[in-house]
Amino acid sequence: MTETTSGLSLHVPEPAVRPGGQPDFSNVKIPAAGAVPRPDIDAAPESMRDLAYSIIRVLNRHGEAVGPWAGTLSHQELLIGLRNMMRLRAFDARMVMAQRQGKTSFYMQHLGEEAVSCAFRKALSKGDMNFPTYRQAGLLIADDYPLVTMMNQIFSNENDPLHGRQMPVLHSAKDHGFFTVSGNLATQYVQAVGWAMASAIKGDTKIAAAWIGDGSTAESDFHSALVFASTYKAPVVLNIVNNQWAISTFQGIARGGSGTFAARGLGFGIPALRVDGNDYLAVHAVAKWAVERARRNLGPTLVEYVTYRAGAHSTSDDPSAYRPKTESEAWPLGDPILRLKNHLIVLGAWSEERHQQTEAEIMDEVIDAQKEAESHGTLHAGGKPSVRDIFEGVYAEMPDHIRRQRQKAGY
């Protein structure tokens, strides 16, 4: 037996670069667009293990759609997708400004990640249920959820559909397949798998989609969900949005030695794919493949979206404290809106002039919605939910001690 001559040491992963340094994405290996094969829907998980280590891409550097994953969307559907992403970006800009003006306490934007949720929503059917994080508002916008209602919730005003009982951006919309967001991330992963199992037990046709960020995959709920999803072949799509940063912690901390987040699924026998999260066409194609697999009783699919959080984690965050200020500009997969815009121009279905005009129209739409929402109140002015709402919606039949508390409060 060999004796150790020195003490043990602990390995702590380090990001490639710190604030003030040169951005470095050399660790992101990007295959050519169209190079990754598209398996048959019913392909065995072991036959596609390589997909957990590559990146599925459709749009090439010339704005052309190429390869076996192309062709899932018409020109009209692509135009709708572009408008949805533009609407989400304009919505973000106005809500960040509103937070700075003291009209809401908190906001989280989606800058650079718009394609992930907007494209995924278009692969689902009515009645399917998303269990999202706080950065998937595109699921609502792409399903035509009213902007005014979203803003009412953010302002916690008298028309807030959740009556002020949730933090801003933690939306809930059952009719739009959007399960109530929990600020404690990873809980929604086990909930999504359980909901999908219940749908299967009932013999229904509806599937679930779970959402998590790269950092939260270190939570135990993530691994518990994979155990149940793989064991019972639950009809669920397990989404991981790898935007490179978990607040101020780089993605290598949560990823550990697995190489990629998608590779986590391989040990559970779950098909695992990585997709260019800034490529609207690729996201939709992979989502459609995974959704169909779930719908055909072929079990779960784990999808890692490789993207980049171009903005701050939230309005309470300063990213310059932990990453170079120019890092977002160096991100090699580009801007999802610009990439889809260029593709539509190549197709002859769009132009720079129409894009600028649409930007202005969408901003006007968002500003009009904001004015209407603010007429019902903001954080420090105007109408508020009733104090009575604190006591409602918890019990099917209100217990006497809660009723007495409500009466003591004057309601």
Side-chain angles (χ1 to χ4, degrees), residues 293-304:
R293 190 176 177 94
R295 196 98 61 196
R296 286 171 53 175
N297 276 321
L298 295 169
T301 301
L302 185 70
V303 181
E304 176 188 346

Side-chain angles (χ1 to χ4, degrees), residues 222-237:
F222 171 77
H223 301 277
S224 297
L226 265 61
V227 169
F228 277 83
S230 62
T231 300
Y232 297 102
K233 297 192 183 302
V236 61
V237 182

Side-chain angles (χ1 to χ4, degrees), residues 192-204 206 234-235:
V193 173
W195 192 97
M197 290 170 63
S199 184
I201 290 169
K202 291 189 298 184
D204 209 333
K206 301 177 182 66

Side-chain angles (χ1 to χ4, degrees), residues 59 89 180 232 263 282 335 339 380 384:
L59 292 175
R89 187 164 292 186
T180 309
Y232 297 102
D335 182 314
R339 289 177 66 186
H380 296 299
K384 298 285 192 296

Side-chain angles (χ1 to χ4, degrees), residues 131-133 179 182 184-196 208-213 216-217 219-229 236-241 261 270 301-305:
F131 288 75
T133 77
F179 198 84
S182 168
N184 299 313
L185 297 188
T187 57
Q188 65 273 24
Y189 238 61
V190 285
Q191 292 166 349
V193 173
W195 192 97
W211 294 87
I212 202 168
S216 301
T217 61
E219 298 280 352
S220 57
D221 281 347
F222 171 77
H223 301 277
S224 297
L226 265 61
V227 169
F228 277 83
V236 61
V237 182
L238 303 162
N239 296 309
I240 302 171
V241 181
F261 290 99
I270 298 175
T301 301
L302 185 70
V303 181
E304 176 188 346
Y305 301 88

Side-chain angles (χ1 to χ4, degrees), residues 87-376:
R87 190 171 287 111
L88 178 55
R89 187 164 292 186
F91 184 93
D92 272 353
R94 294 300 302 184
M95 291 299 96
V96 168
M97 186 183 300
Q99 191 277 335
R100 300 306 190 209
Q101 294 169 340
K103 296 175 180 178
T104 183
S105 60
F106 183 76
Y107 190 74
M108 306 184 82
Q109 62 179 334
H110 309 71
L111 188 63
E113 301 178 43
E114 294 91 349
V116 176
S117 53
C118 288
F120 186 91
R121 183 61 189 82
K122 292 303 184 181
L124 294 174
S125 299
K126 180 92 174 155
D128 294 337
M129 184 61 70
N130 285 283
F131 288 75
T133 77
Y134 38 61
R135 222 181 298 276
Q136 275 87 53
L139 295 169
L140 291 172
I141 285 179
D143 200 46
D144 298 323
Y145 189 72
L147 299 182
V148 173
T149 306
M150 291 179 70
M151 292 177 181
N152 287 338
Q153 193 278 324
I154 292 166
F155 293 142
S156 301
N157 63 27
E158 63 187 4
N159 278 11
D160 173 5
L162 304 182
H163 306 281
R165 291 177 290 196
Q166 276 275 70
M167 284 178 60
V169 309
L170 302 189
H171 302 285
S172 176
K174 182 178 180 180
D175 291 346
H176 289 262
F178 195 92
F179 198 84
T180 309
V181 180
S182 168
N184 299 313
L185 297 188
T187 57
Q188 65 273 24
Y189 238 61
V190 285
Q191 292 166 349
V193 173
W195 192 97
M197 290 170 63
S199 184
I201 290 169
K202 291 189 298 184
D204 209 333
T205 60
K206 301 177 182 66
I207 70 160
W211 294 87
I212 202 168
D214 49 280
S216 301
T217 61
E219 298 280 352
S220 57
D221 281 347
F222 171 77
H223 301 277
S224 297
L226 265 61
V227 169
F228 277 83
S230 62
T231 300
Y232 297 102
K233 297 192 183 302
V236 61
V237 182
L238 303 162
N239 296 309
I240 302 171
V241 181
N242 177 10
N243 64 14
Q244 313 302 310
W245 289 96
I247 309 184
S248 59
T249 304
F250 89 112
Q251 51 112 359
I253 295 288
R255 190 188 68 238
S258 64
T260 71
F261 290 99
R264 292 272 177 84
L266 298 181
F268 295 88
I270 298 175
L273 298 78
R274 299 178 85 218
V275 60
D276 179 347
N278 290 23
D279 181 340
Y280 187 94
L281 285 77
V283 170
H284 180 268
V286 169
K288 187 176 180 181
W289 186 92
V291 165
E292 184 177 348
R293 190 176 177 94
R295 196 98 61 196
R296 286 171 53 175
N297 276 321
L298 295 169
T301 301
L302 185 70
V303 181
E304 176 188 346
Y305 301 88
V306 183
T307 184
Y308 184 80
R309 194 195 78 214
H313 174 71
S314 72
T315 49
S316 302
D317 174 46
D318 176 13
S320 67
Y322 53 83
R323 68 187 190 190
K325 290 184 178 180
T326 58
E327 190 175 83
S328 63
E329 299 167 16
W331 175 243
L333 295 178
D335 182 314
I337 292 178
L338 292 179
R339 289 177 66 186
L340 183 53
K341 179 193 81 170
N342 291 338
H343 174 58
L344 286 163
I345 290 174
V346 168
L347 293 176
W350 202 237
S351 66
E352 289 287 356
E353 293 74 22
R354 290 179 66 185
H355 191 82
Q356 291 177 12
Q357 180 183 355
T358 302
E359 275 186 326
E361 292 171 353
I362 287 174
M363 185 56 76
D364 286 345
E365 173 194 351
V366 172
I367 290 173
D368 287 345
Q370 184 176 353
K371 288 178 180 177
E372 182 178 343
E374 289 184 4
S375 73
H376 300 292

